[in-house]
Amino acid sequence: MTDRRQFLSMACLGTLPLASCRTASPPGVAAEGQRVDASMVRRLIVERHDALLGHCLYVADLGARQVARPILLARRGEMFDAEIVNRLPQPTTVHFHGLVVPEAQDGAGFEVIAPGASKAVRFRVHNRAGLYWFHSHAQGLTAEQVHAGLAGLFVVADEDDSALDAALALEPINRLALAVADARVIGEQVLPYAPTREDCLTGWLGNRVRVNGVLNAAFDVASGWVRIQLLNACNARALLLALRDGDQAVPFHLLGTDGGLLAAPIDIDRVFIHPAERVDLAINVAGHRLISAISQPFDPRVQTQAAMPDMRHPVRDRYPPLAAVEVCKPDTGGATSVRLPDGAPLPLFWLRVGALAGRGRPRIPDRLSSLAEPASVPGSPVRRVRLDFADDKGFLIDGAPYRIDEIAFRVERGAREVWEIKNSPISMPHPMHLHGPGFRVLRRQGTFGPARALATATQGRLPTDLGIKDTVAVWPNETVWIAPDFSLPQDPGFAGAQRYLFHCHNLEHEDGMMMRNFAIL
Ligand code: C2O
Ligand code: CU
Ligand code: CU
């Protein structure tokens, strides 16, 4: 039964020209996985299409047609102006992860869209070209809604980005935007989100991976360069991405990170991608027939104590779960038998290489963008952030659980600060995310083995630390120094103080209150 459906959705994941997707969809049925100009979206509809399993999706209403699970495309400087329509039985929001938008458009959960209600969202895309994403951020329900399918890709282009594609002579089918997320799957059935107390403490882990919503995803590409922008959309699982042809490693190049292109490409053969992080990669597939992308095994360094605090968010008592299940109760089913531990090897997707499209043998440009090394400003105030664990409350930032009405600290617009984020030794890796401004990584210390082996850049940094970031993983016992960019765009939308979030992007930790508010004045 899945074969035809799977084929159709695979055909429409941006790997075939849009025309073939359109003809593949019977009239009246929303096409899936198509690329859509963000500026054409009139309504973004949030709906649940399966009340038993709780599966949900975004539908972009373009007026003339509707596209389910859209990949949104925008050029830097363009507007997004749409109404978000909530058809869920729960409140929701749409957060534009990585895009610098005013608090009122950020969807951070200060105000939710009630079931049946809608909200107009309008902002200009100020960010550099890169892979961003949009996802549900209704506090306490984020993990469940994102896992249910409420996460989509938002691809921003600009001149550097187009110049790179031209230099690589990139075939349209050789440019992919992929969201990789794990799920608990039995047979070909994706099970509902039903975390146990333990899952709520360390994070929801699946046993299989879906790429843009599809199990066993395979992409047809032409021989030559392939460019892949990849998001780790897992609730909690870190990926150590590597490429294989049979048992041979296929090396590749890191082009960019969360916030767009690096100054220069870096040759690598594996890369850590923690939840919410993105990488932009170039792979020369010439001479290969089939390449598999895998997550290599690694020691995930999960060293939590035995305590199993009650991390059920209070909002859970007011709304039913999306599926017919219990959430964060001591002994809910949750199919823990199929949970694969963090760090376990996992196949991700395949590239099937076709004939050479034949336009010479272009080389990767030496320079990709004008991104400078982060300027260290001597004497910048240092803000100390501690990630820790309390027996009764779980993982915390600076010893205190999140409070929606509290502003943990305020910074002046344009201020230069260094944040020193230190994780406790008895902990696990936390992918720490900042709303609003992006940041640069200045330095790492105490990095744990598997990541340390990849720290080839100065100041103990990883190649992925050299770009603009909005999410950075901090391993147990590690300290990471970052420099956020608190200058907000010159845009009337940013008038007045802007409240943003700083949180762990392990979504169970986020819902478990590992989050703080701060304000840019
Ligand atoms: Cu991707 Cu506050 O989130
Ligand atoms: Cu975000
Ligand atoms: Cu965490």
Side-chain angles (χ1 to χ4, degrees):
M1 151 222 140
T2 54
D3 276 352
R4 183 176 155 74
R5 240 193 80 81
Q6 225 175 50
F7 170 77
L8 287 181
S9 32
M10 247 150 55
C12 295
L13 289 170
T15 64
L16 287 180
L18 293 188
S20 57
C21 295
R22 255 180 239 131
T23 48
S25 322
V29 175
E32 296 214 0
Q34 284 183 24
R35 295 166 185 236
V36 160
D37 273 338
S39 61
M40 304 280 289
V41 178
R42 296 190 191 168
R43 298 190 305 160
L44 190 64
I45 302 162
V46 190
E47 59 182 43
R48 178 173 67 171
H49 66 87
D50 179 337
L52 196 64
L53 299 172
H55 299 163
C56 298
L57 47 75
Y58 288 121
V59 178
D61 179 3
L62 313 180
R65 62 195 175 102
Q66 298 201 329
V67 176
R69 299 193 180 90
I71 296 179
L72 301 184
L73 303 181
R75 278 196 87 81
R76 189 177 194 180
E78 284 179 352
M79 295 295 299
F80 178 83
D81 187 353
E83 195 183 5
I84 295 169
V85 180
N86 180 10
R87 292 190 182 149
L88 303 180
Q90 296 178 344
T92 196
T93 72
V94 177
H95 167 57
F96 295 85
H97 181 124
L99 294 180
V100 188
V101 300
E103 172 188 328
Q105 326 293 325
D106 191 44
F110 299 120
E111 281 172 22
V112 292
I113 311 171
S118 20
K119 181 191 181 208
V121 170
R122 184 167 196 277
F123 61 82
R124 191 173 297 283
V125 175
H126 289 285
N127 290 66
R128 311 164 80 220
L131 180 65
Y132 303 92
W133 58 304
F134 55 103
H135 64 80
S136 153
H137 214 301
Q139 298 184 1
L141 303 168
T142 300
E144 179 184 19
Q145 292 188 6
V146 170
H147 185 268
L150 297 178
L153 298 174
F154 196 113
V155 182
V156 177
D158 67 7
E159 275 144 45
D160 287 339
D161 186 80
S162 310
L164 173 61
D165 285 2
L168 297 175
L170 215 63
E171 293 296 317
I173 62 163
N174 283 22
R175 178 157 176 181
L176 300 170
L178 307 179
V180 175
D182 61 345
R184 292 184 189 171
V185 180
I186 295 181
E188 296 300 292
Q189 181 83 272
V190 174
L191 304 178
Y193 182 75
T196 61
R197 259 196 194 185
E198 189 191 346
D199 295 327
C200 284
L201 176 67
T202 52
W204 170 267
L205 298 168
N207 62 330
R208 299 266 303 275
V209 148
R210 284 185 291 173
V211 177
N212 296 1
V214 176
L215 292 166
N216 302 321
F219 302 94
D220 288 309
V221 294
S223 187
W225 287 105
V226 173
R227 180 174 171 198
I228 298 182
Q229 292 177 296
L230 187 147
L231 158 73
N232 180 342
C234 297
N235 278 31
R237 179 182 297 279
L239 304 172
L240 178 52
L241 173 77
L243 302 173
R244 293 273 183 280
D245 179 347
D247 48 16
Q248 293 286 333
V250 177
F252 49 100
H253 309 266
L254 181 70
L255 303 172
T257 61
D258 303 348
L261 294 172
L262 300 169
I266 303 174
D267 298 356
I268 54 175
D269 60 9
R270 60 199 196 279
V271 60
F272 270 109
I273 316 165
H274 289 264
E277 286 190 306
R278 286 89 70 203
V279 291
D280 195 337
L281 309 172
I283 308 145
N284 189 346
V285 299
H288 300 282
R289 300 296 294 274
L290 183 69
I291 292 178
S292 59
I294 57 164
S295 184
Q296 279 190 357
F298 61 93
D299 178 350
R301 210 61 178 175
V302 177
Q303 323 208 83
T304 48
Q305 290 132 322
M308 209 62 79
D310 178 6
M311 295 177 66
R312 224 172 114 89
H313 193 285
V315 77
R316 286 258 159 239
D317 297 330
R318 301 211 297 276
Y319 296 95
L322 291 167
V325 293
E326 293 280 5
V327 173
C328 289
K329 289 278 182 69
D331 44 44
T332 45
T336 47
S337 59
V338 297
R339 171 180 57 198
L340 211 60
D342 207 5
L346 197 57
L348 303 180
F349 59 90
W350 289 264
L351 299 175
R352 288 187 298 242
V353 183
L356 184 64
R359 276 201 270 160
R361 291 174 180 240
R363 288 190 39 227
I364 290 204
D366 297 330
R367 292 210 68 74
L368 302 173
S369 77
S370 56
L371 188 69
E373 262 286 293
S376 69
V377 180
S380 299
V382 176
R383 189 177 294 282
R384 296 204 159 71
V385 179
R386 296 293 174 264
L387 310 180
D388 40 35
F389 181 86
D391 276 345
D392 54 335
K393 297 194 186 71
F395 292 107
L396 301 172
I397 298 173
D398 288 334
Y402 181 69
R403 283 188 32 209
I404 195 165
D405 55 356
E406 173 203 58
I407 295 193
F409 53 88
R410 295 172 169 80
V411 295
E412 293 293 332
R413 201 163 298 211
R416 287 177 178 278
E417 291 191 350
V418 172
W419 290 16
E420 179 195 278
I421 310 172
K422 185 168 175 35
N423 196 356
S424 107
I426 306 296
S427 186
M428 58 186 284
H430 297 290
M432 300 306 296
H433 168 54
L434 205 60
H435 286 221
F439 57 81
R440 304 299 298 272
V441 177
L442 303 176
R443 183 178 159 210
R444 285 181 188 266
Q445 200 175 68
T447 307
F448 175 64
R452 163 120 218 144
L454 302 181
T456 50
T458 56
Q459 304 291 338
R461 291 176 302 169
L462 309 165
T464 44
D465 290 333
L466 301 185
I468 293 180
K469 296 290 292 170
D470 55 55
T471 307
V472 67
V474 187
W475 289 80
N477 207 31
E478 189 182 38
T479 307
V480 180
W481 286 265
I482 66 168
D485 173 7
F486 292 117
S487 64
L488 293 172
Q490 301 291 332
D491 175 326
F494 292 93
Q498 302 293 315
R499 220 172 4 157
Y500 291 117
L501 294 177
F502 172 55
H503 65 82
C504 180
H505 218 291
N506 174 317
L507 295 180
E508 283 69 32
H509 293 180
E510 174 177 343
D511 282 343
M513 307 297 196
M514 192 177 186
M515 182 155 78
R516 304 311 286 275
N517 299 328
F518 71 100
I520 303 180
L521 302 177

